[in-house]
Amino acid sequence: MADLPTNFEEFAEARKGAFMKVKGFKENGGNLVGVLCSYTPCELIEAAGAVAIGLCGTSNETVPDAEEVLPKNLCPLIKGTYGFAYTEKCPFTYYADFIVGETTCDGKKKMYELLNDLKETYVMQLPQTHDRAWSNSVWREELDLLKAKLEQTYGVEVTDDKLREAVRVRNDYRRALVELYECQLSEPPVMNGVDIMATVAAAGFTFDIKEFTASVSKKVAEAKAAYEAGERKVGTDRKRILLTGCPSAGVMGKVGASIEKNGGVIVAFDDCGGPRTQAALIDPEADDIMQAIADRYLAINCSVMTPNGGRLDNTLELCEKYKVDGVVDIVLTACHTFNVEAELMRQRMEKAGIPYIKIETDYAPNDQGQIDTRIAAFIEML
């Protein structure tokens, strides 16, 4: 029987329900691997018969607990991730067989050393450049090592056929998400951006990716049908905003909601969960399926890469495709890579004549008034 944490009775009913759901999944023989980043090759995990589940690091709830161990001047995503493991408040972290991390930023890779004391954490060594020939071979070796780790852990063989099937399932999932994002191409857009982000966020907490893909496709079909029937959830006077920068899930209630209550609507998402990471598919019939998976993931444009011109190019393409009026760049406090790269983003947007604003924040509510004031002024200027 899977044990519950000792502080289980202190949890709210919704969290108790989540704990019981994943507890039942484990007791029925389910295998669970915690993932933390869009560089995680989920196809390998799924080909091994396990579920890749996103971990809860996008809340201020456990940041004070994490600061008992971690520095205060650290990214809230890092502190939140560690804090949920440290306090045993995240059911998915608690019941994960192990966690897969990648050496993206320095803060995360050092935090993993401490996280490993709480839950086994397997760390992939991510090359931090696209423009060296050795990057592909290094990353391919990392995928081979993860494959061996999964086979050893679960006593299975991860065959090419299993990988190809996992690729097909993940491709369907990504197509559904891109179709959801493209609802915002309409003028006015089909729905509010915050609603889209809420749907996407739920993807990280599903045990059945096929079921979730079907639910997204259904949501898109229903929204489009209502739109074609004349329903308009978004006014024609709302300014079209592209959201870029750090992972936005933890601040969607602060920044995203502020945009949409102050005359804007989020039409394009350029963070880790947006089309920048979801649009790229994998050919399931590739001769070397492991290399095809490795190539797909290494091509992701994150600010940890240097140089990272591909991200700037992609953002500008999204601005043109979605006909945006302005760009809001979210930087989480102490995220140095995105914060420095924000200046390159500002320069690119200025050159293209697209209004731009950088919002630096964390998961705490203290700066909500300041954010509202700045965003209201930005949108009014548009």
Side-chain angles (χ1 to χ4, degrees):
M1 297 292 286
D3 293 330
L4 287 164
T6 56
N7 53 345
F8 177 74
E9 291 305 323
E10 301 172 13
F11 298 153
E13 290 304 315
R15 180 164 290 159
K16 285 184 179 180
F19 264 101
M20 296 309 296
K21 180 180 178 182
V22 69
K23 181 176 184 289
F25 173 79
K26 292 293 296 178
E27 289 178 347
N28 286 320
N31 298 323
L32 200 64
V33 177
V35 300
L36 299 168
C37 181
S38 55
Y39 281 107
T40 307
C42 293
E43 288 85 353
L44 271 66
I45 295 169
E46 289 153 359
V51 170
I53 200 90
L55 300 185
C56 309
T58 56
S59 163
N60 200 58
E61 179 183 351
T62 64
V63 166
D65 299 290
E67 289 176 346
E68 295 176 9
V69 179
L70 300 175
K72 286 182 167 57
N73 60 339
L74 194 61
C75 163
L77 180 62
I78 298 173
K79 291 189 288 188
T81 299
Y82 182 83
F84 273 106
Y86 184 64
T87 60
E88 299 185 339
K89 288 184 176 180
C90 173
F92 309 109
T93 304
Y94 185 80
Y95 285 114
D97 299 317
F98 66 98
I99 296 170
V100 175
E102 303 81 11
T103 54
T104 47
C105 75
D106 289 344
K108 287 176 77 175
K109 73 185 184 186
K110 297 307 291 184
M111 180 273 285
Y112 293 152
E113 296 176 18
L114 298 170
L115 182 62
N116 188 60
D117 292 334
L118 306 174
K119 173 69 65 171
E120 181 186 359
T121 303
Y122 181 89
V123 180
M124 302 182 73
Q125 301 294 328
L126 175 71
Q128 300 200 342
T129 182
H130 295 122
D131 67 351
R132 293 288 191 273
W134 50 259
S135 294
N136 289 77
S137 59
V138 167
W139 189 234
R140 167 60 189 270
E141 182 179 348
E142 287 299 308
L143 264 70
D144 287 338
L145 291 171
L146 176 61
K147 176 172 172 280
K149 163 68 175 174
L150 289 160
E151 290 177 328
Q152 180 183 24
T153 299
Y154 296 119
V156 298
E157 181 183 1
V158 178
T159 64
D160 281 2
D161 286 344
K162 290 178 181 178
L163 287 168
R164 294 181 196 283
E165 178 57 25
V167 163
R168 294 185 186 97
V169 171
R170 274 279 156 183
N171 280 349
D172 288 344
Y173 163 82
R174 295 185 182 113
R175 290 189 191 98
L177 287 184
V178 170
E179 188 179 15
L180 175 66
Y181 289 129
E182 291 185 344
C183 285
Q184 303 305 81
L185 287 169
S186 301
E187 298 182 68
V190 172
M191 61 186 80
N192 286 303
V194 172
D195 293 339
I196 288 180
M197 286 306 296
T199 300
V200 174
F205 306 115
T206 180
F207 299 140
D208 189 332
I209 188 173
K210 292 182 180 179
E211 183 180 298
F212 181 80
T213 298
S215 71
V216 172
S217 296
K218 181 181 178 182
K219 180 183 180 72
V220 170
E222 291 173 349
K224 286 183 175 179
Y227 190 87
E228 290 169 5
E231 181 180 309
R232 295 292 180 269
K233 292 185 176 181
V234 180
T236 56
D237 60 337
R238 304 267 287 279
K239 299 300 180 183
R240 300 171 64 86
I241 302 297
L242 177 142
L243 207 60
T244 191
C246 292
S248 60
V251 295
M252 189 53 57
K254 289 173 68 174
V255 181
S258 183
I259 290 169
E260 299 199 330
K261 75 180 181 183
N262 282 295
V265 58
I266 304 168
V267 295
F269 301 87
D270 189 34
D271 67 356
C272 296
R276 176 161 52 88
T277 60
Q278 299 298 348
L281 304 179
I282 301 169
D283 179 7
E285 305 306 325
D287 291 338
D288 186 341
I289 190 62
M290 279 287 286
Q291 190 61 53
I293 295 171
D295 291 346
R296 186 263 177 206
Y297 280 93
L298 187 61
I300 292 172
N301 296 309
C302 175
S303 67
V304 299
M305 293 292 180
T306 184
N308 192 36
R311 177 193 166 213
L312 307 180
D313 295 339
N314 180 76
T315 303
L316 188 56
E317 290 170 7
L318 288 175
C319 287
E320 295 168 351
K321 179 178 179 178
Y322 285 85
K323 300 179 181 177
V324 308
D325 298 306
V327 169
V328 175
D329 196 348
I330 296 175
V331 174
L332 293 176
T333 304
C335 181
H336 303 311
T337 57
F338 273 107
N339 208 355
V340 174
E341 194 164 280
E343 175 58 18
L344 297 174
M345 183 65 74
R346 184 197 65 78
Q347 293 174 11
R348 179 65 69 90
M349 294 302 110
E350 181 179 352
K351 184 177 180 180
I354 300 171
Y356 167 93
I357 186 173
K358 181 179 82 171
I359 301 290
E360 188 172 351
T361 187
D362 58 17
Y363 296 157
N366 308 7
D367 58 349
Q368 184 68 68
Q370 181 189 62
I371 288 173
D372 288 342
T373 299
R374 294 189 64 206
I375 286 178
F378 177 68
I379 293 174
E380 184 177 356
M381 176 269 294
L382 300 179

